[in-house]
Amino acid sequence: VFDVMQTTNALATSTGTMARLDAWERFGLLSAALCHDMEHPGVTSAFLSKMGDSAHGYKNLIFRDTLLEKHHALRALGVMVDRDIGILDGLDSGEYYQFRGSVSKIILATDISKHKDYLGDLQAFAARRAEDPAVEMSKQMAMELMVKCADISNVIKPSKVARRWALRVTD
């Protein structure tokens, strides 16, 4: 989880994305990266869907797809809106809904079953960019792709680094 947040920060900084974001967008990006697997049970959404009512702890979440990612997003935002914590107290209602929507979309982007859709979106963007080099990727798409890439990036890291993170995740 911390690896994904650190990798997201590195990607967003090195690509110039971080400089395009305002303070709340940066906070949303890094919060989503940190919380993208909050309370992950160690099995896939498909596995939980097949388990039905016996998927304890998840039986009240009846979603057709992205079961785990929706749970991660709901729990992350639940913590952020807790009045005792007050993380989002500085936002008016419009800013709150924008923040909530952005963080949710970023976390939902980590669902591997949506990978093909993101590849298609990225190819469409690349085609638009080839026609007009001034075209910029939307900030939301960039944030979703940063966390998505960071989430699956362990396999391309040096083996010493990847091994340390793999051991931490399985502890």
Side-chain angles (χ1 to χ4, degrees), residues 2 10 15 17 34 44 56 65 82 89 95 113 136 141 163:
F2 291 107
T15 61
T17 300
L34 181 64
T44 65
H56 59 274
D65 60 358
D82 186 303
D89 286 352
E95 293 168 328
S113 73
E136 284 198 26
M141 183 177 177
R163 183 183 324 261

Side-chain angles (χ1 to χ4, degrees), residues 17-171:
T17 300
M18 211 48 109
R20 292 178 55 207
L21 304 177
D22 67 32
W24 279 106
E25 289 168 327
R26 288 190 301 272
F27 178 66
L29 172 64
L30 296 177
S31 296
L34 181 64
C35 298
H36 82 282
D37 271 347
M38 190 171 189
E39 295 183 345
H40 200 295
V43 296
T44 65
S45 290
F47 179 83
L48 288 173
S49 294
K50 288 177 185 171
M51 286 188 64
D53 287 342
S54 60
H56 59 274
Y58 293 87
K59 65 183 175 187
N60 294 325
L61 290 175
I62 308 301
F63 299 116
R64 285 203 171 293
D65 60 358
T66 64
L67 174 69
L68 285 174
E69 288 72 20
K70 287 179 182 176
H71 175 79
H72 304 320
L74 287 170
R75 289 295 297 131
L77 290 163
V79 169
M80 289 183 206
V81 299
D82 186 303
R83 292 289 175 212
D84 293 333
I85 298 171
I87 292 174
L88 304 179
D89 286 352
L91 298 176
D92 64 34
S93 65
E95 293 168 328
Y96 165 74
Y97 286 112
Q98 182 177 351
F99 178 86
R100 183 180 82 174
S102 179
V103 169
S104 294
K105 287 175 187 173
I106 294 167
I107 293 173
L108 293 177
T110 64
D111 182 355
I112 199 68
S113 73
K114 305 297 182 197
H115 190 69
K116 189 174 181 180
D117 297 337
Y118 277 91
L119 286 176
D121 293 344
L122 193 54
Q123 289 170 338
F125 170 76
R128 285 192 313 276
R129 183 83 180 252
E131 291 176 13
D132 181 3
V135 170
E136 284 198 26
M137 183 179 288
S138 76
K139 293 190 286 185
Q140 184 64 40
M141 183 177 177
M143 291 188 292
E144 291 171 21
L145 287 171
M146 296 289 161
V147 176
K148 186 167 190 55
C149 290
D151 188 31
I152 60 173
S153 69
N154 207 43
V155 296
I156 63 166
K157 293 181 179 170
S159 60
K160 183 178 178 182
V161 173
R163 183 183 324 261
R164 285 196 324 239
W165 280 111
L167 290 172
R168 288 178 180 139
V169 171
T170 57
D171 252 354

